[in-house]
Amino acid sequence: MKDVVALVTGASRGVGRGIALALLAEGATVHATGRTMTEAEAQKHPQGGGSLEGLIQDAASLPGRLFVHRCDHAVDAQTEEVISDVGRGGRLDILVNNAWPGYEHMVEGQEFTWGRPFWQQPIRRWDAMIDVGVRAAFIASRAAAPILIGSGRGLIVNISFWAAELYNGNAIYGISKAAANKMAADFAHDLRPHNVAALALYPGLVRTEAVLRAAEFFDLSNSESPQFIGRTIAGLWRDRDLMAKSGQAHVAAQLALDYGISDIDGSRPRPLTRKEIS
């Protein structure tokens, strides 16, 4: 993928960081965004770690080229400025809409408020998931579409989850992921004549920094590394029938099985099913 240019939003930690590292390992040029530039700043973040500075260190030995952009995707102008910077390079092939502040402040005081009924949810959770998460994906895709079209072939990936289709513990979360799926479906319709695909991708249980900090509460036996979904995105890019998958929501682990892709430890995560989520 040495000639491929990708933009991954929200890449200072978690899934976004893993996607960036996986694409860099494939030789791609990766533009990564995040609010947190330094490790010192990361210590003050609600997630307690993860920065673009750390991503640069992790990527130092990888064959791809990394460019980092400090960006608060709650501010449309900052998102658009990043896309403009990327566009000055002349091409963009893959956009991964991953920026997601929706998991911040899940515990308030001593209470885990994530699972409250919708009428007891703090409105800031709506602001984080919808006004930032969903809106940022739209703003980034809107700004990037002309560049993707100009490149002759392109891919937009919205990171989503089964919560788009099934109740998964939080109503606002479900609404936001349903929006991510519908956005991908309608983008695909508009972009199909231009050979640009758009789809939603479901990770499984990912061993992010936050998950590992609370590992005693999870069964990690079928978990995925943060890089796994990035490997799957690389597989999608190499798929000659990519346009046939456009407009749909896909389980990353199932695509990986179809493509013969393993995780970084050689394992083959089993795709989660609707029954397991519901």
Side-chain angles (χ1 to χ4, degrees):
M1 297 180 70
K2 63 183 180 64
D3 297 322
V4 173
V5 178
L7 169 60
V8 183
T9 68
S12 56
R13 62 183 61 84
V15 170
R17 186 192 190 101
I19 293 171
L21 290 171
L23 295 178
L24 288 163
E26 297 276 354
T29 295
V30 176
H31 293 264
T33 72
R35 289 172 292 170
T36 310
M37 181 60 73
T38 69
E39 284 301 307
E41 293 171 353
Q43 299 309 309
K44 302 175 184 178
H45 188 275
Q47 293 285 11
S51 69
L52 294 175
E53 179 181 77
L55 174 62
I56 292 171
Q57 294 172 356
D58 288 349
S61 62
L62 300 176
R65 294 191 301 162
L66 173 65
F67 298 89
V68 299
H69 307 260
R70 186 195 290 270
C71 178
D72 183 350
H73 287 285
V75 182
D76 294 348
Q78 291 189 25
T79 302
E80 292 166 341
E81 183 178 356
V82 169
I83 304 293
S84 180
D85 286 346
V86 174
R88 291 189 189 100
R91 69 177 300 119
L92 176 63
D93 302 291
I94 301 172
L95 168 64
V96 182
N97 287 314
N98 172 77
W100 178 253
Y103 295 144
E104 296 173 5
H105 306 293
M106 295 176 76
V107 176
E108 299 176 78
Q110 299 298 315
E111 183 185 357
F112 182 72
T113 60
W114 176 271
R116 286 179 177 177
F118 73 88
W119 61 90
Q120 294 179 5
Q121 287 292 322
I123 198 63
R124 60 162 179 76
R125 196 160 275 153
W126 176 279
D127 296 340
M129 295 187 193
I130 308 297
D131 295 351
V132 180
V134 174
R135 184 182 179 91
F138 180 82
I139 295 298
S141 300
R142 178 178 181 271
I147 311 171
L148 291 162
I149 291 168
S151 297
R153 180 175 185 252
L155 170 63
I156 296 175
V157 176
N158 286 349
I159 301 301
S160 188
F161 193 60
W162 283 108
E165 306 173 36
L166 304 164
Y167 184 75
N168 193 224
N170 184 287
I172 306 173
Y173 182 56
I175 294 165
S176 67
K177 293 309 180 184
N181 284 17
K182 180 58 173 170
M183 197 184 308
D186 286 3
F187 287 175
H189 178 275
D190 291 347
L191 290 167
R192 189 170 297 278
H194 304 286
N195 199 35
V196 176
L199 52 85
L201 204 53
Y202 296 176
L205 175 60
V206 182
R207 296 187 298 275
T208 62
E209 301 90 341
V211 167
L212 291 178
R213 284 197 300 271
E216 67 271 24
F217 300 107
F218 295 100
D219 176 4
L220 299 178
S221 61
N222 188 49
S223 60
E224 305 166 2
S225 74
Q227 292 96 318
F228 179 66
I229 198 163
R231 289 185 167 204
T232 303
I233 291 171
L236 279 164
W237 182 253
R238 290 190 289 263
D239 190 341
R240 294 183 178 181
D241 294 322
L242 172 61
M243 292 305 296
K245 294 179 172 63
S246 187
Q248 304 169 44
H250 301 271
V251 177
Q254 184 59 60
L255 287 176
L257 287 177
D258 295 343
Y259 292 144
I261 293 171
S262 62
D263 207 339
I264 56 174
D265 60 358
S267 66
R268 297 284 178 90
R270 176 179 52 80
L272 298 178
T273 65
R274 293 175 64 94
K275 184 177 181 180
E276 289 175 291
I277 299 300
S278 60

